[in-house]
Amino acid sequence: MSSHIESERLSNSLAELDQLTNWERRPRGDMRVDLEPMRDLARRLGDPQNSFRIVHVAGTKGKGSTCALIEAGLLRAGFSVGRYASPHVMHITERVSIDGRPVGEERLADALGAALAAFKDARREATGGQGATWFDILTVSAFLIFRSERVEWAVLETGLGGRWDSTNIVQSDVAVITNIDLEHTEILGKTRAAIAFEKAGIIKRGATVVTLLPEADEAGAVVSARAAELGCAVRRPTVPADATIEQRNVAVAGAVLDVLGKMGVMTKGASAMSEPLGEQLLDPSTIEAARLPGRLEKFAVDTSHGDNAKVNVVLDGAHVPFNLAAVLSDLSQEEKYRAPCIAVMSIAEDKDAAGLLSMMTRHDISIIFTTAGARSRSPEQLKAIADTIGLLSIVMLDPLEAYQEALAGATELGAWVLVTGSLYLVGIIRSA
């Protein structure tokens, strides 16, 4: 799905990497239950994850945007920062950022080369590292890049869960659990409490926990219990019940910066007096700089037809019902998104399609179902679900044609366009 890769070395490394287990692409449900492959690879490479301080972020939604905000705050405080994220929207290099910018292709190729060499050694010697997955090798490559770039702080987003996630060989200063909802239930558990147990696996002795989950909540109680067991303080920022997604993410990132300030982490830089880190670092321009592609990304398209020459478009890769509900509710607070909506939508096989579509019945939305790659559920199946709950929809297999059709329809009706259901779909539309 990635847009074009210039570097031949990176293409070759990725082709080699694709031979390995890729948890993002395989049938779910057969997750591994130990970190030995990751630990062995890291040991062979000199444990690069011990070369910098870490903020570790898990949660069902909001991880990526929260990580970007923490990164932006640390950058503003004068630190060199690495951020590790998944999945990417346009290009694999987006997964590893140095000081707010995606790493260069050649740097990523170097690190993947070293990680793949360690993997081959482990295979030859039949040690734990021979069981490494695609995500393990990418993760250890990120750690290598952060070490060689001498970052002072790394902000790490878990891929899936927490306890057995590739990132979880680290010792963090702050462990963040943004929220918990039912996702990947076949791997992480059928209840919010069971999923919270997996995510709480990132909490380590000596870290401070930051979470929006209330103590009285079944998932929040699990996080509190794990923190208490390890002697970790828990910090719960307060947000109003009707807070937008961005306000929630900013509250979490601000709380992380406050915690670091209380730990004695001071701002750096020649210009001003050094002061403790804190949420004041997240001023409007820092928040703006931290916006990620495909997360409530808004723009207007000039269609130059008649009175409605501009169509408002929103790209959001929401693929979990409660997140899509939050996106639609946030948008409906703005006048221009109260008009009828035409959505272009693709949903992966392993996502809760009925749940996602039921969120759309509360709004004036018609849908064009399309595909975004091998893991997309058939648009005809999606249309059948939409029909049963009374949503108007059509099917157009080509995503770019579907998007053009939506723009044309929106121009005619004075509607706005939402591209959602899949970050891969968002990536295809963004690169058009």
Side-chain angles (χ1 to χ4, degrees):
M1 203 281 325
S2 293
S3 56
H4 183 63
I5 289 173
E6 306 281 327
S7 157
E8 194 179 337
R9 287 170 57 236
L10 182 56
S11 290
N12 294 343
S13 292
L14 289 170
E16 199 173 329
L17 192 57
D18 282 338
Q19 310 300 306
L20 301 180
T21 313
N22 180 352
W23 291 120
E24 291 180 11
R25 297 269 157 92
R26 62 177 302 168
R28 306 297 179 120
D30 48 356
M31 207 53 182
R32 56 105 176 274
V33 288
D34 76 287
L35 288 169
E36 194 41 47
M38 203 45 212
R39 289 208 173 94
D40 183 28
L41 284 186
R43 270 195 300 270
R44 289 172 177 280
L45 295 161
D47 282 316
Q49 73 282 5
N50 298 337
S51 315
F52 36 84
R53 295 177 73 179
I54 291 164
V55 176
H56 201 179
V57 181
T60 309
K61 294 311 300 173
K63 296 189 292 288
S65 299
T66 301
C67 286
L69 285 160
I70 297 165
E71 169 193 44
L74 287 166
L75 283 171
R76 181 141 186 262
F79 291 99
S80 169
V81 187
R83 177 168 60 88
Y84 181 55
S86 61
H88 57 280
V89 178
M90 307 284 290
H91 199 289
I92 190 148
T93 53
E94 289 168 34
R95 291 175 180 244
V96 184
S97 299
I98 301 290
D99 294 341
R101 280 182 298 282
V103 68
E105 290 189 5
E106 296 299 339
R107 289 291 297 104
L108 183 56
D110 287 343
L112 282 172
L116 284 163
F119 169 68
K120 286 172 199 156
D121 289 345
R123 260 210 308 223
R124 207 169 34 248
E125 295 162 29
T127 62
Q130 68 184 340
T133 65
W134 186 93
F135 197 70
D136 289 339
I137 289 184
L138 199 59
T139 303
V140 88
S141 301
F143 296 164
L144 286 173
I145 291 168
F146 295 158
R147 179 175 67 189
S148 70
E149 295 288 337
R150 296 199 164 84
V151 305
E152 296 159 278
W153 283 93
V155 185
L156 307 179
E157 176 184 343
T158 59
L160 183 62
R163 192 160 55 122
W164 304 124
D165 188 70
S166 309
T167 57
N168 204 29
I169 62 167
V170 303
Q171 174 61 51
S172 60
D173 285 87
V174 185
V176 180
I177 297 166
T178 54
N179 50 36
I180 302 285
D181 203 64
L182 297 173
E183 190 191 20
H184 304 305
T185 48
E186 66 283 25
I187 300 168
L188 301 179
K190 298 277 183 260
T191 63
R192 289 179 64 252
I195 293 176
F197 178 75
E198 292 301 323
K199 312 257 187 209
I202 69 166
I203 302 171
K204 311 285 162 54
R205 205 173 286 286
T208 299
V209 180
V210 173
T211 186
L212 280 179
L213 294 165
E215 185 132 31
D217 171 80
E218 66 165 314
V222 172
V223 171
S224 291
R226 184 65 182 144
E229 212 175 300
L230 295 170
C232 299
V234 181
R235 171 81 193 268
R236 290 184 159 92
T238 48
V239 291
D242 62 350
T244 62
I245 299 168
E246 182 170 275
Q247 286 164 342
R248 286 169 189 280
N249 295 340
V250 168
V252 172
V256 169
L257 296 167
D258 279 345
V259 163
L260 294 178
K262 291 201 169 50
M263 284 180 184
V265 181
M266 309 291 278
T267 59
K268 299 171 64 171
S271 56
M273 291 287 289
S274 186
E275 57 175 17
L277 267 55
E279 63 185 351
Q280 71 280 358
L281 290 162
L282 295 178
D283 62 359
S285 64
T286 307
I287 292 170
E288 190 54 50
R291 283 190 206 287
L292 291 174
R295 272 60 157 215
L296 270 175
E297 184 176 359
K298 304 170 183 173
F299 54 91
V301 174
D302 193 344
T303 55
S304 309
H305 293 296
D307 301 336
N308 308 315
K310 279 210 178 333
V311 172
N312 290 307
V313 178
V314 179
L315 307 181
D316 193 282
H319 52 254
V320 179
F322 94 95
N323 197 50
L324 181 60
V327 164
L328 292 169
S329 137
D330 280 10
L331 288 169
S332 66
Q333 294 181 28
E334 286 184 60
E335 191 61 49
K336 61 185 171 194
Y337 303 117
R338 290 191 192 132
C341 168
I342 301 176
V344 180
M345 200 167 190
S346 164
I347 303 175
E349 284 282 6
D350 61 341
K351 298 290 183 267
D352 175 6
L356 283 162
L357 295 176
S358 68
M359 295 302 158
M360 300 177 100
T361 57
R362 306 170 195 177
H363 303 266
D364 184 0
I365 298 178
S366 52
I367 307 174
I368 303 175
F369 289 115
T370 188
T371 55
R375 276 186 48 215
S376 298
R377 185 184 288 222
S378 121
E380 285 80 7
Q381 279 179 13
L382 295 174
K383 181 170 176 21
I385 299 171
D387 289 348
T388 61
I389 57 175
L391 280 171
L392 281 178
S393 67
I394 60 169
V395 167
M396 292 188 82
L397 293 179
D398 181 302
L400 295 178
E401 284 174 20
Y403 178 57
Q404 288 310 320
E405 179 67 22
L407 290 175
T411 305
E412 215 168 299
L413 299 170
W416 60 283
V417 171
L418 173 66
V419 177
T420 193
S422 148
L423 270 172
Y424 286 107
L425 174 63
V426 165
I428 292 169
I429 302 302
R430 278 186 106 247
S431 59

Short mmCIF file of all heavy atoms in Angstrom, two decimals, residues 272-319:
data_model
loop_
_atom_site.label_atom_id
_atom_site.label_comp_id
_atom_site.label_asym_id
_atom_site.label_seq_id
_atom_site.Cartn_x
_atom_site.Cartn_y
_atom_site.Cartn_z
N ALA A 272 16.06 30.62 27.14
CA ALA A 272 15.32 30.97 28.36
C ALA A 272 15.88 30.23 29.57
O ALA A 272 16.70 29.33 29.44
CB ALA A 272 13.86 30.61 28.17
N MET A 273 15.39 30.62 30.73
CA MET A 273 15.72 29.89 31.95
C MET A 273 15.15 28.48 31.83
O MET A 273 14.06 28.29 31.33
CB MET A 273 15.07 30.57 33.15
CG MET A 273 15.65 31.92 33.50
SD MET A 273 17.28 31.72 34.25
CE MET A 273 16.82 31.02 35.83
N SER A 274 15.90 27.54 32.37
CA SER A 274 15.41 26.16 32.39
C SER A 274 14.27 26.06 33.40
O SER A 274 14.34 26.64 34.48
CB SER A 274 16.58 25.28 32.81
OG SER A 274 16.21 23.95 32.73
N GLU A 275 13.17 25.35 33.03
CA GLU A 275 12.06 25.17 33.98
C GLU A 275 11.53 23.75 33.83
O GLU A 275 11.78 23.10 32.81
CB GLU A 275 10.97 26.20 33.71
CG GLU A 275 10.45 26.17 32.29
CD GLU A 275 9.27 27.12 32.06
OE1 GLU A 275 9.06 28.02 32.88
OE2 GLU A 275 8.59 26.93 31.05
N PRO A 276 10.79 23.27 34.82
CA PRO A 276 10.28 21.90 34.72
C PRO A 276 9.33 21.76 33.52
O PRO A 276 8.59 22.69 33.21
CB PRO A 276 9.51 21.69 36.02
CG PRO A 276 9.99 22.75 36.96
CD PRO A 276 10.42 23.90 36.11
N LEU A 277 9.37 20.58 32.88
CA LEU A 277 8.42 20.31 31.81
C LEU A 277 6.99 20.36 32.37
O LEU A 277 6.79 20.11 33.55
CB LEU A 277 8.66 18.91 31.23
CG LEU A 277 9.59 18.84 30.02
CD1 LEU A 277 10.92 19.47 30.30
CD2 LEU A 277 9.78 17.40 29.56
N GLY A 278 6.04 20.64 31.51
CA GLY A 278 4.65 20.65 31.95
C GLY A 278 3.73 20.89 30.77
O GLY A 278 4.18 21.10 29.64
N GLU A 279 2.43 20.86 31.05
CA GLU A 279 1.45 20.94 29.96
C GLU A 279 1.49 22.29 29.24
O GLU A 279 0.97 22.41 28.13
CB GLU A 279 0.04 20.65 30.48
CG GLU A 279 -0.45 21.66 31.49
CD GLU A 279 -1.81 21.27 32.09
OE1 GLU A 279 -2.43 20.31 31.60
OE2 GLU A 279 -2.22 21.93 33.05
N GLN A 280 2.14 23.30 29.85
CA GLN A 280 2.23 24.60 29.19
C GLN A 280 3.02 24.52 27.88
O GLN A 280 2.92 25.40 27.02
CB GLN A 280 2.86 25.66 30.13
CG GLN A 280 4.35 25.50 30.39
CD GLN A 280 4.70 24.44 31.44
OE1 GLN A 280 3.80 23.83 32.02
NE2 GLN A 280 5.98 24.23 31.68
N LEU A 281 3.79 23.45 27.70
CA LEU A 281 4.53 23.28 26.43
C LEU A 281 3.57 23.05 25.25
O LEU A 281 3.94 23.27 24.10
CB LEU A 281 5.49 22.08 26.54
CG LEU A 281 6.70 22.29 27.47
CD1 LEU A 281 7.32 20.95 27.83
CD2 LEU A 281 7.73 23.20 26.83
N LEU A 282 2.36 22.59 25.55
CA LEU A 282 1.40 22.29 24.48
C LEU A 282 0.55 23.52 24.16
O LEU A 282 -0.65 23.55 24.39
CB LEU A 282 0.51 21.10 24.87
CG LEU A 282 1.24 19.77 25.04
CD1 LEU A 282 0.26 18.68 25.48
CD2 LEU A 282 1.94 19.35 23.75
N ASP A 283 1.19 24.55 23.62
CA ASP A 283 0.45 25.73 23.18
C ASP A 283 -0.19 25.43 21.82
O ASP A 283 0.10 24.40 21.21
CB ASP A 283 1.37 26.96 23.13
CG ASP A 283 2.51 26.79 22.14
OD1 ASP A 283 2.61 25.71 21.50
OD2 ASP A 283 3.30 27.71 21.98
N PRO A 284 -1.07 26.31 21.32
CA PRO A 284 -1.79 26.00 20.08
C PRO A 284 -0.88 25.64 18.90
O PRO A 284 -1.20 24.73 18.13
CB PRO A 284 -2.58 27.28 19.81
CG PRO A 284 -2.82 27.86 21.16
CD PRO A 284 -1.58 27.54 21.96
N SER A 285 0.25 26.31 18.76
CA SER A 285 1.10 26.01 17.59
C SER A 285 1.78 24.65 17.73
O SER A 285 1.98 23.93 16.74
CB SER A 285 2.14 27.10 17.37
OG SER A 285 3.02 27.16 18.46
N THR A 286 2.11 24.25 18.96
CA THR A 286 2.70 22.91 19.19
C THR A 286 1.66 21.83 18.92
O THR A 286 1.96 20.79 18.31
CB THR A 286 3.24 22.81 20.64
OG1 THR A 286 4.11 23.92 20.87
CG2 THR A 286 4.01 21.53 20.86
N ILE A 287 0.42 22.08 19.34
CA ILE A 287 -0.66 21.12 19.09
C ILE A 287 -0.88 20.99 17.58
O ILE A 287 -1.03 19.88 17.05
CB ILE A 287 -1.96 21.58 19.80
CG1 ILE A 287 -1.78 21.47 21.32
CG2 ILE A 287 -3.16 20.75 19.34
CD1 ILE A 287 -2.88 22.12 22.14
N GLU A 288 -0.87 22.12 16.89
CA GLU A 288 -1.07 22.12 15.43
C GLU A 288 0.04 21.31 14.74
O GLU A 288 -0.20 20.52 13.83
CB GLU A 288 -1.08 23.57 14.93
CG GLU A 288 -1.51 23.76 13.50
CD GLU A 288 -2.86 23.13 13.16
OE1 GLU A 288 -3.84 23.35 13.87
OE2 GLU A 288 -2.90 22.39 12.15
N ALA A 289 1.29 21.49 15.21
CA ALA A 289 2.44 20.82 14.60
C ALA A 289 2.37 19.31 14.79
O ALA A 289 2.99 18.54 14.04
CB ALA A 289 3.73 21.35 15.21
N ALA A 290 1.59 18.86 15.79
CA ALA A 290 1.55 17.43 16.12
C ALA A 290 0.46 16.68 15.37
O ALA A 290 0.28 15.49 15.56
CB ALA A 290 1.35 17.26 17.62
N ARG A 291 -0.30 17.38 14.51
CA ARG A 291 -1.40 16.70 13.82
C ARG A 291 -0.88 15.61 12.89
O ARG A 291 0.05 15.84 12.12
CB ARG A 291 -2.22 17.68 13.00
CG ARG A 291 -3.14 18.49 13.86
CD ARG A 291 -4.12 19.27 13.01
NE ARG A 291 -4.56 20.45 13.73
CZ ARG A 291 -5.39 20.42 14.76
NH1 ARG A 291 -5.88 19.27 15.16
NH2 ARG A 291 -5.74 21.51 15.37
N LEU A 292 -1.53 14.45 12.91
CA LEU A 292 -1.10 13.33 12.08
C LEU A 292 -1.99 13.23 10.84
O LEU A 292 -3.16 13.57 10.88
CB LEU A 292 -1.23 12.02 12.87
CG LEU A 292 -0.25 11.84 14.02
CD1 LEU A 292 -0.60 10.57 14.80
CD2 LEU A 292 1.18 11.76 13.52
N PRO A 293 -1.42 12.72 9.74
CA PRO A 293 -2.25 12.51 8.56
C PRO A 293 -3.34 11.47 8.84
O PRO A 293 -3.11 10.50 9.55
CB PRO A 293 -1.26 11.97 7.51
CG PRO A 293 -0.10 11.45 8.29
CD PRO A 293 -0.04 12.28 9.54
N GLY A 294 -4.54 11.73 8.29
CA GLY A 294 -5.60 10.73 8.38
C GLY A 294 -6.27 10.61 9.73
O GLY A 294 -7.01 9.68 10.00
N ARG A 295 -5.99 11.58 10.63
CA ARG A 295 -6.70 11.63 11.91
C ARG A 295 -7.44 12.96 11.94
O ARG A 295 -6.82 14.00 12.08
CB ARG A 295 -5.73 11.56 13.09
CG ARG A 295 -5.35 10.17 13.59
CD ARG A 295 -4.68 9.31 12.56
NE ARG A 295 -3.87 8.25 13.18
CZ ARG A 295 -2.72 7.82 12.67
NH1 ARG A 295 -2.24 8.34 11.56
NH2 ARG A 295 -2.07 6.85 13.27
N LEU A 296 -8.74 12.93 11.75
CA LEU A 296 -9.56 14.15 11.66
C LEU A 296 -8.88 15.21 10.79
O LEU A 296 -8.77 16.36 11.18
CB LEU A 296 -9.85 14.70 13.06
CG LEU A 296 -11.13 14.16 13.70
CD1 LEU A 296 -11.30 14.65 15.11
CD2 LEU A 296 -12.38 14.51 12.88
N GLU A 297 -8.41 14.78 9.66
CA GLU A 297 -7.71 15.68 8.73
C GLU A 297 -8.76 16.37 7.84
O GLU A 297 -9.53 15.70 7.16
CB GLU A 297 -6.74 14.86 7.89
CG GLU A 297 -5.88 15.69 6.97
CD GLU A 297 -4.86 14.83 6.22
OE1 GLU A 297 -4.81 13.60 6.41
OE2 GLU A 297 -4.11 15.42 5.42
N LYS A 298 -8.79 17.70 7.90
CA LYS A 298 -9.86 18.46 7.23
C LYS A 298 -9.30 19.34 6.13
O LYS A 298 -8.27 19.99 6.33
CB LYS A 298 -10.58 19.36 8.25
CG LYS A 298 -11.14 18.63 9.44
CD LYS A 298 -11.61 19.62 10.50
CE LYS A 298 -12.10 18.90 11.75
NZ LYS A 298 -12.41 19.83 12.83
N PHE A 299 -9.98 19.40 5.00
CA PHE A 299 -9.60 20.34 3.94
C PHE A 299 -10.80 20.55 3.03
O PHE A 299 -11.83 19.89 3.18
CB PHE A 299 -8.38 19.84 3.14
CG PHE A 299 -8.52 18.46 2.58
CD1 PHE A 299 -9.03 18.25 1.31
CD2 PHE A 299 -8.13 17.33 3.33
CE1 PHE A 299 -9.16 16.97 0.79
CE2 PHE A 299 -8.26 16.05 2.82
CZ PHE A 299 -8.78 15.87 1.55
N ALA A 300 -10.69 21.51 2.10
CA ALA A 300 -11.78 21.76 1.15
C ALA A 300 -11.25 21.48 -0.24
O ALA A 300 -10.10 21.80 -0.56
CB ALA A 300 -12.27 23.19 1.27
N VAL A 301 -12.07 20.85 -1.08
CA VAL A 301 -11.69 20.56 -2.46
C VAL A 301 -12.49 21.49 -3.38
O VAL A 301 -13.71 21.60 -3.24
CB VAL A 301 -12.01 19.09 -2.83
CG1 VAL A 301 -11.75 18.83 -4.31
CG2 VAL A 301 -11.17 18.14 -1.97
N ASP A 302 -11.79 22.15 -4.28
CA ASP A 302 -12.44 23.06 -5.21
C ASP A 302 -12.93 22.25 -6.41
O ASP A 302 -12.12 21.74 -7.19
CB ASP A 302 -11.42 24.13 -5.66
CG ASP A 302 -12.12 25.27 -6.38
OD1 ASP A 302 -13.29 25.07 -6.78
OD2 ASP A 302 -11.50 26.32 -6.53
N THR A 303 -14.24 22.10 -6.53
CA THR A 303 -14.76 21.31 -7.65
C THR A 303 -15.23 22.21 -8.81
O THR A 303 -15.61 21.73 -9.86
CB THR A 303 -15.96 20.44 -7.19
OG1 THR A 303 -16.92 21.30 -6.58
CG2 THR A 303 -15.51 19.39 -6.19
N SER A 304 -15.20 23.53 -8.57
CA SER A 304 -15.53 24.54 -9.61
C SER A 304 -16.81 24.22 -10.38
O SER A 304 -16.82 24.27 -11.60
CB SER A 304 -14.38 24.67 -10.60
OG SER A 304 -13.19 24.85 -9.91
N HIS A 305 -17.85 23.82 -9.66
CA HIS A 305 -19.14 23.60 -10.33
C HIS A 305 -20.19 24.38 -9.59
O HIS A 305 -20.40 24.15 -8.40
CB HIS A 305 -19.53 22.12 -10.32
CG HIS A 305 -18.63 21.28 -11.15
ND1 HIS A 305 -18.52 21.44 -12.51
CD2 HIS A 305 -17.79 20.27 -10.82
CE1 HIS A 305 -17.65 20.56 -12.98
NE2 HIS A 305 -17.19 19.84 -11.98
N GLY A 306 -20.85 25.29 -10.28
CA GLY A 306 -22.03 25.95 -9.73
C GLY A 306 -21.80 26.63 -8.41
O GLY A 306 -20.72 27.13 -8.12
N ASP A 307 -22.83 26.65 -7.56
CA ASP A 307 -22.79 27.40 -6.31
C ASP A 307 -21.89 26.72 -5.28
O ASP A 307 -21.24 27.37 -4.49
CB ASP A 307 -24.21 27.51 -5.72
CG ASP A 307 -25.14 28.20 -6.68
OD1 ASP A 307 -24.63 28.95 -7.53
OD2 ASP A 307 -26.36 27.97 -6.61
N ASN A 308 -21.93 25.38 -5.27
CA ASN A 308 -21.16 24.66 -4.25
C ASN A 308 -19.78 24.31 -4.80
O ASN A 308 -19.46 23.16 -5.00
CB ASN A 308 -21.89 23.37 -3.86
CG ASN A 308 -23.34 23.66 -3.48
OD1 ASN A 308 -23.59 24.60 -2.75
ND2 ASN A 308 -24.27 22.87 -3.99
N ALA A 309 -18.97 25.34 -5.04
CA ALA A 309 -17.68 25.10 -5.69
C ALA A 309 -16.67 24.43 -4.75
O ALA A 309 -15.68 23.88 -5.20
CB ALA A 309 -17.11 26.41 -6.22
N LYS A 310 -16.93 24.51 -3.46
CA LYS A 310 -16.00 23.91 -2.51
C LYS A 310 -16.69 22.79 -1.73
O LYS A 310 -17.79 23.00 -1.20
CB LYS A 310 -15.47 24.96 -1.53
CG LYS A 310 -14.33 25.79 -2.10
CD LYS A 310 -13.42 26.24 -0.97
CE LYS A 310 -12.21 27.04 -1.41
NZ LYS A 310 -11.70 26.80 -2.74
N VAL A 311 -16.05 21.64 -1.68
CA VAL A 311 -16.60 20.54 -0.88
C VAL A 311 -15.67 20.31 0.32
O VAL A 311 -14.45 20.16 0.15
CB VAL A 311 -16.68 19.24 -1.72
CG1 VAL A 311 -17.07 18.05 -0.85
CG2 VAL A 311 -17.68 19.40 -2.86
N ASN A 312 -16.24 20.31 1.52
CA ASN A 312 -15.46 20.02 2.72
C ASN A 312 -15.23 18.52 2.81
O ASN A 312 -16.17 17.74 2.68
CB ASN A 312 -16.18 20.52 3.97
CG ASN A 312 -16.17 22.04 4.03
OD1 ASN A 312 -15.12 22.65 3.93
ND2 ASN A 312 -17.35 22.63 4.15
N VAL A 313 -13.96 18.15 3.03
CA VAL A 313 -13.59 16.73 3.11
C VAL A 313 -12.91 16.47 4.45
O VAL A 313 -12.10 17.29 4.91
CB VAL A 313 -12.63 16.35 1.95
CG1 VAL A 313 -12.21 14.88 2.07
CG2 VAL A 313 -13.28 16.61 0.60
N VAL A 314 -13.24 15.35 5.06
CA VAL A 314 -12.56 14.91 6.29
C VAL A 314 -12.03 13.51 6.06
O VAL A 314 -12.75 12.63 5.59
CB VAL A 314 -13.51 14.90 7.51
CG1 VAL A 314 -12.77 14.42 8.76
CG2 VAL A 314 -14.10 16.29 7.74
N LEU A 315 -10.74 13.30 6.37
CA LEU A 315 -10.15 11.96 6.31
C LEU A 315 -9.93 11.49 7.75
O LEU A 315 -9.28 12.18 8.53
CB LEU A 315 -8.79 11.98 5.60
CG LEU A 315 -8.71 12.63 4.21
CD1 LEU A 315 -7.28 12.51 3.68
CD2 LEU A 315 -9.67 11.98 3.24
N ASP A 316 -10.48 10.35 8.09
CA ASP A 316 -10.21 9.79 9.42
C ASP A 316 -10.27 8.27 9.34
O ASP A 316 -11.28 7.70 8.95
CB ASP A 316 -11.20 10.29 10.47
CG ASP A 316 -10.70 9.95 11.87
OD1 ASP A 316 -10.84 8.77 12.29
OD2 ASP A 316 -10.11 10.82 12.53
N GLY A 317 -9.18 7.64 9.72
CA GLY A 317 -9.06 6.18 9.58
C GLY A 317 -9.77 5.40 10.68
O GLY A 317 -9.41 4.25 10.94
N ALA A 318 -10.80 5.98 11.32
CA ALA A 318 -11.51 5.30 12.41
C ALA A 318 -11.97 3.92 11.96
O ALA A 318 -12.62 3.79 10.93
CB ALA A 318 -12.72 6.13 12.84
N HIS A 319 -11.62 2.88 12.73
CA HIS A 319 -12.04 1.52 12.36
C HIS A 319 -12.59 0.76 13.56
O HIS A 319 -12.69 -0.45 13.56
CB HIS A 319 -10.89 0.75 11.69
CG HIS A 319 -9.63 0.77 12.49
ND1 HIS A 319 -8.55 1.55 12.14
CD2 HIS A 319 -9.29 0.14 13.64
CE1 HIS A 319 -7.59 1.38 13.04
NE2 HIS A 319 -8.01 0.54 13.95
#
